[in-house]
Amino acid sequence: MKNVLLLSGNENSSHLFLGEAKRTAETRQAPLCFKAAVMADLTPELLAEQDLILLAPQTANAADTAAMNTQVPTVDIPNDIYGWLNGQALVKFACGKLNLVPAAAI
């Protein structure tokens, strides 16, 4: 199981997206465990637990990502995936970034 952190500037949108991603990962048997957080909630311990950090478009700027100071792969979520809160596309995107193949095709 790989840990994926959804990082956004708005707690409401990240939690909506989190629900969609979790449902899709479970349905598609993707080995992903999603969590959501906002920049203010980040701790070194939380970052160290992650295998991938996905940044919402409003969070994906150089100042924010530089402040994280982590060795964890950090990737911007494409606007078309985030804008539609497309959990299926997010799971597929995360699997691709982690070189994973879910048990059920996405």
Side-chain angles (χ1 to χ4, degrees), residues 12-67:
N12 292 333
S13 62
S14 64
H15 282 79
L16 284 172
F17 206 14
L18 177 67
E20 291 297 318
K22 283 183 172 183
R23 278 189 289 282
T24 300
E26 184 178 316
T27 301
R28 303 296 184 181
Q29 300 174 0
L32 301 173
C33 179
F34 286 96
K35 289 184 182 179
V38 294
M39 289 297 287
D41 294 338
L42 290 183
T43 64
E45 296 79 20
L46 178 62
L47 292 172
E49 295 171 353
Q50 306 311 311
D51 296 296
L52 178 65
I53 299 170
L54 297 175
L55 301 173
Q58 72 272 23
T59 308
N61 69 52
D64 288 341
T65 55

Side-chain angles (χ1 to χ4, degrees), residues 1 13 19 22 36 42 51 62 67 78 85 95 97 99 105:
M1 189 70 68
S13 62
K22 283 183 172 183
L42 290 183
D51 296 296
L85 298 178
C95 284
K97 295 298 176 188
N99 296 316

Side-chain angles (χ1 to χ4, degrees), residues 2 4 30-32 34 52 54 73 75 88-102 106:
K2 297 290 185 175
V4 179
L32 301 173
F34 286 96
L52 178 65
L54 297 175
V75 183
Q88 184 172 341
L90 184 70
V91 168
K92 185 175 181 178
F93 181 75
C95 284
K97 295 298 176 188
L98 291 167
N99 296 316
L100 298 173
V101 177
I106 295 179

